[in-house]
Amino acid sequence: MVYRLYARRVEGRLDHDQVPKHIGVILDGNRRWAKASGGSAVQGHQAGADKISELLGWCDETDVEVVTLWMLSTDNFDRPEHELKPLLGIIENTVRNLAADGRWRVHHVGTLDLLPAETQTVLKEAEEATSGIDGIIVNVAVGYGGRQEIADAVRSLLLEHSEKGTSFEELAEVVSTDLISEHLYTRGQPDPDLVIRTSGEQRLSGFMLWQSAHSEYYFCEVFWPAFRKVDFLRALRDYAARHRRYGA
């Protein structure tokens, strides 16, 4: 009861004009939550996946327009097969559920080539099935790495201009940050205003390195499966209290 009253109080004082339009979330702490609860890593990942629908509901209530969820990094491929395989299965089911919900426009960010064929198919089908939905854009970062994204953007830029017959000298004259941004996984979307990381870790670990140049960061001590609405509202309140100068 006390928690619900406090959450309502925080929400009641929230200025919706100051809510971030794009929130990136590093869903961290699944395995540590499971260990603390006496469960397995798979149970932790599933609990973390179950939390996503709650988060999107909170975002919908507060007028957030884009949410990027870091679900699997390129570094995660170094995990043992007995953990990686069920994790991919959980991610596939989560993406299917997001698409079936009917409220979200699912968009994959990451390198498809690194992923198993079934995972690639699920991501492509979810994106196609929700392309016409006028709802929150949900970027599912699967097989994602910030450095890899920049490398892929540069590669895409070079290939595009190679097909046009642009010389290296001509390309060097026109290349710019805006031009590179047009080849990122999130092209056409606003950069994240706020990046939230759970579990108490205070680093980005390569998350949206290019896009987060002017983002505000909020580090939350709680493990991702235990993330509550009040934790989310506190992050929004903290963001609204900051004065963003953009270098001025």
Side-chain angles (χ1 to χ4, degrees):
M1 178 64 72
V2 174
Y3 161 72
R4 288 198 297 270
L5 288 173
Y6 178 63
R8 288 176 185 172
R9 181 181 179 186
V10 175
E11 187 170 10
R13 295 183 175 182
L14 187 67
D15 183 355
H16 282 235
D17 291 334
Q18 297 296 321
V19 168
K21 295 306 178 185
H22 183 173
I23 297 178
V25 188
I26 302 174
L27 317 176
D28 195 20
N30 293 334
R31 292 187 294 177
R32 281 172 284 169
W33 176 87
K35 185 177 181 180
S37 305
S40 66
V42 173
Q43 290 171 322
H45 291 312
Q46 185 59 61
D50 294 339
K51 180 62 62 173
I52 288 173
S53 61
E54 289 185 63
L55 171 71
L56 294 178
W58 304 333
C59 289
D60 195 29
E61 293 171 1
T62 49
D63 302 324
V64 175
E65 298 175 359
V66 184
V67 181
T68 299
L69 306 167
W70 200 5
M71 302 174 71
L72 184 76
S73 75
T74 50
D75 293 335
N76 291 151
F77 288 103
D78 294 333
R79 292 184 179 180
E81 180 68 18
H82 71 268
E83 182 179 345
L84 184 58
K85 187 173 181 179
L87 174 56
L88 285 168
I90 290 170
I91 289 171
E92 291 166 8
N93 288 333
T94 301
V95 172
R96 289 191 189 98
N97 291 336
L98 290 174
D101 184 281
R103 291 181 292 170
W104 326 122
R105 181 148 42 113
V106 179
H107 175 66
H108 172 243
V109 296
T111 305
L112 277 175
D113 294 345
L114 295 175
L115 301 170
E118 177 63 20
T119 307
Q120 292 185 35
T121 299
V122 170
L123 291 166
K124 290 176 182 177
E125 290 179 348
E127 192 160 343
E128 292 170 1
T130 62
S131 61
I133 292 176
D134 185 20
I136 292 177
I137 298 173
V138 181
N139 294 320
V140 287
V142 182
Y144 176 86
R147 289 179 175 178
Q148 184 66 50
E149 177 178 24
I150 295 170
D152 286 348
V154 173
R155 185 180 301 108
S156 173
L157 173 62
L158 292 174
L159 288 172
E160 178 185 272
H161 282 269
S162 175
E163 291 172 358
K164 293 178 179 179
T166 307
S167 69
F168 280 115
E169 291 78 9
E170 291 170 329
L171 181 56
E173 289 294 323
V174 299
V175 71
S176 64
T177 55
D178 288 340
L179 191 59
I180 294 174
S181 293
E182 292 173 5
H183 292 265
L184 296 172
Y185 303 145
T186 57
R187 54 188 168 273
Q189 299 180 13
D191 290 339
D193 303 296
L194 174 65
V195 175
I196 300 172
R197 180 167 189 160
T198 56
S199 86
E201 302 293 344
Q202 298 191 24
R203 60 180 184 274
L204 289 182
S205 300
F207 182 61
M208 304 192 86
L209 292 175
W210 184 281
Q211 300 93 325
S212 65
H214 296 291
S215 300
E216 299 291 335
Y217 306 128
Y218 184 83
F219 300 107
C220 180
E221 292 292 330
V222 69
F223 296 138
W224 170 245
F227 192 72
R228 304 166 301 172
K229 185 176 184 179
V230 71
D231 298 312
F232 174 72
L233 293 172
R234 283 170 175 162
L236 298 192
R237 182 182 63 183
D238 184 82
Y239 169 83
R242 302 181 189 182
H243 178 57
R244 306 182 75 196
R245 298 180 178 84
Y246 298 101

